[in-house]
Amino acid sequence: MTSPTGIQIHLRRGAVTAQIAQVGASLRQLSIDGVDIVPPYPADEPTPGASGVVLAPWPNRIRDGIWQDGETTRQLAITEPKFHNASHGLLRFTAYDIVEQSEDAVTLAATIVPQTGYPYLVQTSVRYALTDAGIDVTHTLTNGSADPAPVALGIHPYLTIGDAHPQDLVLKLPAETYFETDARMLPVGESPVSSGTDLREGRRLGDLQLDTGFANLRRDTDGFVRTTLTAPDGRTVTLQQGAGFGYVQVYTSTGYPGQSLVVAVEPMTAPADGFNSGRGVRRVARDESWTLEWGIRFS
């Protein structure tokens, strides 16, 4: 390993190219016809802001790293000292094994081993496969423990349309409710979307400042929830999240390397502090597998 993000896997299918980083199995870059859809970052830098990283066995934050596992209170390591939370799971900085690779697809795998605050063995894999208009991603989590393992999954891709002015991109998200948060970015309530959080009809990205979780997502007839980012000329990036992904976190950032403004659209099976609320957390039985799908399209 010579890069802070490990081995770099380059995929190509016609005019579609992608780069996957071994550390975090992260979607590091996605371009179509030379237009960046997932913004790249310098090769010699660690992953900025969890860009593209797989978040397992939980996404987002757990308050004080403490959660109730049946009758047992568990204490996870504090990985977000600023807010004293356990953040973004246990594989964010893991160098995955590259299991299978072709010109336009790759499968990576990593095992969550029993550790402080999480006494379960969970095998995970992620397959990235390019399409003619973007990328499809498939995750599988398999419980190797004797007892049912609580698991949730999230992904942290950033989106843009590289040759359009980012402030003028329009973000549209079919969510009916959002999570109110405290000063530590943890949920304290859930409310109907309102002026600052209602993205159902689309809002200009330059007018938004969000680090917000959304729920009650409207699905299309094929079962996918679709969030779109549209340029003034009509070109659109669509992030689609399949069954099991019942939540999404939206985070706008002006601190991404080389970008004046980007937005992370994060599919999640559970919201922030899900290990305490129980929402979206699945108890996977011994030897049972859970498969989840999402993807990105450009049109």
Side-chain angles (χ1 to χ4, degrees), residues 228-295:
T228 60
L229 193 64
T230 302
D233 62 7
R235 290 176 300 160
T236 299
V237 177
T238 301
L239 188 143
Q240 56 188 40
Q241 53 192 83
F245 286 115
Y247 305 89
V248 63
Q249 186 85 10
V250 177
Y251 170 59
T252 56
S253 174
T254 58
Y256 197 96
Q259 307 291 323
S260 61
L261 177 64
V262 292
V263 60
V265 179
E266 309 164 38
M268 305 186 301
T269 67
D273 212 22
F275 268 23
N276 284 309
S277 70
R279 293 184 63 171
V281 176
R282 178 164 172 169
R283 287 268 178 178
V284 178
R286 181 176 184 176
D287 297 328
E288 180 188 4
S289 293
W290 186 19
T291 299
L292 297 144
E293 298 177 337
W294 66 281

Side-chain angles (χ1 to χ4, degrees), residues 174 216-226 241-247 268:
N216 289 297
L217 309 177
R218 186 179 68 249
R219 293 187 181 273
D220 293 332
T221 55
D222 61 359
F224 282 93
V225 175
R226 288 180 168 88
Q241 53 192 83
F245 286 115
Y247 305 89
M268 305 186 301

Side-chain angles (χ1 to χ4, degrees), residues 75-99:
Q75 174 66 69
L76 295 155
I78 300 301
T79 54
E80 188 185 39
K82 179 180 179 180
F83 295 133
H84 201 258
N85 298 315
S87 179
H88 284 339
L90 301 171
L91 295 177
R92 179 176 175 180
F93 302 106
T94 295
Y96 281 59
D97 294 325
I98 301 169
V99 176

Side-chain angles (χ1 to χ4, degrees), residues 180-204:
E180 303 167 49
T181 57
D182 60 17
R184 295 167 60 191
M185 303 308 298
L186 291 157
V188 294
E190 185 177 351
S191 298
V193 292
S194 56
S195 58
T197 55
D198 189 351
L199 305 175
R200 291 174 294 182
E201 299 301 321
R203 294 283 303 278
R204 182 175 174 271

Side-chain angles (χ1 to χ4, degrees), residues 16 30-33 35-38 131-135 159-164 168-174 201-203 220 225-240 263 265 295-299:
V16 182
L30 178 65
S31 295
I32 301 177
D33 289 323
V35 178
D36 288 326
I37 307 306
V38 171
T131 71
D132 291 336
I135 194 167
L159 302 178
T160 190
I161 298 177
D163 58 356
D168 293 331
L169 300 175
V170 173
L171 180 66
K172 186 175 181 180
L173 167 65
E201 299 301 321
R203 294 283 303 278
D220 293 332
V225 175
R226 288 180 168 88
T227 301
T228 60
L229 193 64
T230 302
D233 62 7
R235 290 176 300 160
T236 299
V237 177
T238 301
L239 188 143
Q240 56 188 40
V263 60
V265 179
I296 298 173
R297 297 288 185 270
F298 185 50
S299 59

Side-chain angles (χ1 to χ4, degrees), residues 26 47-55 88 92 155-158 256 266:
S26 62
T47 307
S51 180
V53 167
V54 177
L55 313 174
H88 284 339
R92 179 176 175 180
I155 311 95
H156 207 296
Y158 287 80
Y256 197 96
E266 309 164 38

